[in-house]
Amino acid sequence: MAAGQTRKISAASARAHTRKPKSMSPSKFSGIFKKILFVCFVGLLAWAYQATQPPQPKTCGSTDGPPVTASRIQLKDGRYLAYQEYGVPKDKAKHKIVFIHGFDCCRHDVSAITAYLSPDIVESQGVYIVSFDRPGYGESDPHPTQTVKSLAFDIEELADQLGLGLAGAALIAPVVNYWWPGIPSNMSEEAYKQHLVQDQWAIRVAHYLPWLNYWWNTQKLFPGLSLIAHSPKVLSRQDMELIPRIFSIREAYQQSASGHGNLIPRKNPFSENEGSVHLWQGDEDLLVPVKIQRHIARQLPWIHYHEVPGAGHMFPFADGIADSIILALLAGKKGVS
């Protein structure tokens, strides 16, 4: 353009350059905001779902799993069950016992019985004991839809494959279900409130919101189940005294763990007196209130109830208890020890 010349601008062009930019309409802004909220909500749901899911177990013997070191049997559904044997050889045994470990334990915790069981009793009575890792514990494969009934079938298969005959049961401080219909509600409530507050909440979650159980016991906002946290608050005086003994026994192996029933059997499973059921309980147990066990023993007179004075939850490790449990099971005698 030559110097001194004035550029001509049309009226339409001038209006275009001086026109104010259009502001976003409220409805359009609302739509974008809703989309952002929806994306955030979906993301939150995805995070919440992931938080409630336990990590996938690494199956023993698989490519990325730990090695198999235990004897195992294969069940009908293809899963493997790890076990170990103790006592006299199976083919010479007069009495064959299946030991089922508790929460946060494994097959090696049969040591609660075997560590201080008299060798004379084992030999003279011909005692053979097999313990196994419950599904998902130790070297046993997990059961994707495990129930109390499915565990009973696993035990049946184990007994069949090993050629055992089951003719009795001894329950040692078994956990109770506070929603069992056979227990008076006032008694259940009283026993339930003997637990620590954090355990009361954990039990509620396990009962009413089982899908939230993993998150509840792994989050850090508030305390989960004290047993998972290995809190000493749930240990009785005797339990505390036995802790060094238990630790020394467990030094020989590395504990594996992960891991409530619905029904009280109303009928004697050994109605022909071909076996017996025993229930052992410490009267100072802070994990399993003795009040409920006493009620069960009164309601089911065919149970041989043994209450151990001054004992906590770990009383099987105390001197002489293992001998008493095995001898009572073999003899089928009633009584309070």
Side-chain angles (χ1 to χ4, degrees), residues 233-307:
K233 295 178 182 178
V234 293
L235 300 179
S236 71
R237 173 191 52 78
Q238 187 200 54
D239 290 337
M240 293 296 291
E241 293 173 354
L242 290 172
I243 286 295
R245 174 179 292 188
I246 296 170
F247 282 173
S248 67
I249 293 173
R250 290 183 173 179
E251 282 179 357
Y253 64 87
Q254 188 174 27
Q255 181 172 314
S256 307
S258 68
H260 241 65
N262 300 324
L263 303 173
I264 299 178
R266 308 300 294 183
K267 295 182 179 179
N268 184 356
F270 304 107
S271 56
E272 301 299 323
N273 294 322
E274 72 277 20
S276 58
V277 177
H278 295 254
L279 173 58
W280 292 78
Q281 177 71 37
D283 67 352
E284 294 184 7
D285 194 325
L286 300 182
L287 283 170
V288 182
V290 67
K291 192 179 187 71
I292 298 292
Q293 310 291 29
R294 290 171 179 167
H295 173 76
I296 292 174
R298 286 194 298 267
Q299 295 299 309
L300 307 178
W302 44 268
I303 285 183
H304 301 223
Y305 181 57
H306 309 261
E307 187 172 301

Side-chain angles (χ1 to χ4, degrees), residues 6-22:
T6 303
R7 182 182 177 183
K8 293 182 179 180
I9 301 175
S10 66
S13 178
R15 286 194 299 271
H17 282 80
T18 58
R19 186 181 297 129
K20 293 181 180 180
K22 290 183 179 180

Side-chain angles (χ1 to χ4, degrees), residues 9-206:
I9 301 175
S10 66
S13 178
R15 286 194 299 271
H17 282 80
T18 58
R19 186 181 297 129
K20 293 181 180 180
K22 290 183 179 180
S23 61
M24 185 180 296
S25 66
S27 60
K28 189 173 183 180
F29 177 80
S30 176
I32 294 176
F33 183 69
K34 288 179 180 178
K35 290 179 180 178
I36 293 174
L37 280 181
F38 177 75
V39 171
C40 291
F41 178 71
V42 171
L44 183 61
L45 282 180
W47 172 85
Y49 175 77
Q50 289 294 331
T52 61
Q53 302 302 303
Q56 287 295 319
K58 293 183 178 180
T59 305
C60 287
S62 62
T63 303
D64 59 344
V68 176
T69 63
S71 299
R72 304 203 301 178
I73 63 165
Q74 187 170 23
L75 304 174
K76 294 176 182 177
D77 60 5
R79 290 180 296 114
Y80 284 91
L81 213 62
Y83 68 93
Q84 74 174 31
E85 299 169 295
Y86 172 88
V88 302
K90 184 173 53 182
D91 56 346
K92 297 181 180 179
K94 301 174 185 175
H95 304 282
K96 300 171 183 178
I97 298 171
V98 178
F99 177 88
I100 309 168
H101 67 78
F103 176 79
D104 198 26
C105 299
C106 66
R107 68 186 184 279
H108 297 297
D109 287 283
V110 69
S111 60
I113 298 296
T114 59
Y116 294 96
L117 180 60
S118 167
D120 291 339
I121 291 178
V122 174
E123 293 296 330
S124 63
Q125 298 292 330
V127 175
Y128 162 90
I129 301 176
V130 60
S131 64
F132 69 97
D133 289 330
R134 286 162 49 191
Y137 288 79
E139 296 185 30
S140 287
D141 294 343
H143 190 303
T145 57
Q146 183 177 195
T147 63
V148 175
K149 190 173 184 178
S150 71
L151 178 60
F153 286 141
D154 287 350
I155 296 170
E156 184 179 34
E157 278 199 63
L158 175 69
D160 287 345
Q161 290 199 37
L162 295 182
L164 311 179
L166 304 181
L171 292 80
I172 305 173
V175 173
V176 299
N177 186 334
Y178 295 98
W179 289 268
W180 271 331
I183 301 175
S185 58
N186 60 333
M187 181 179 295
S188 292
E189 183 177 3
E190 180 182 347
Y192 176 78
K193 289 184 176 179
Q194 291 179 16
H195 286 286
L196 297 175
V197 173
Q198 68 187 78
D199 290 347
Q200 293 180 35
W201 277 101
I203 293 170
R204 285 193 194 100
V205 170

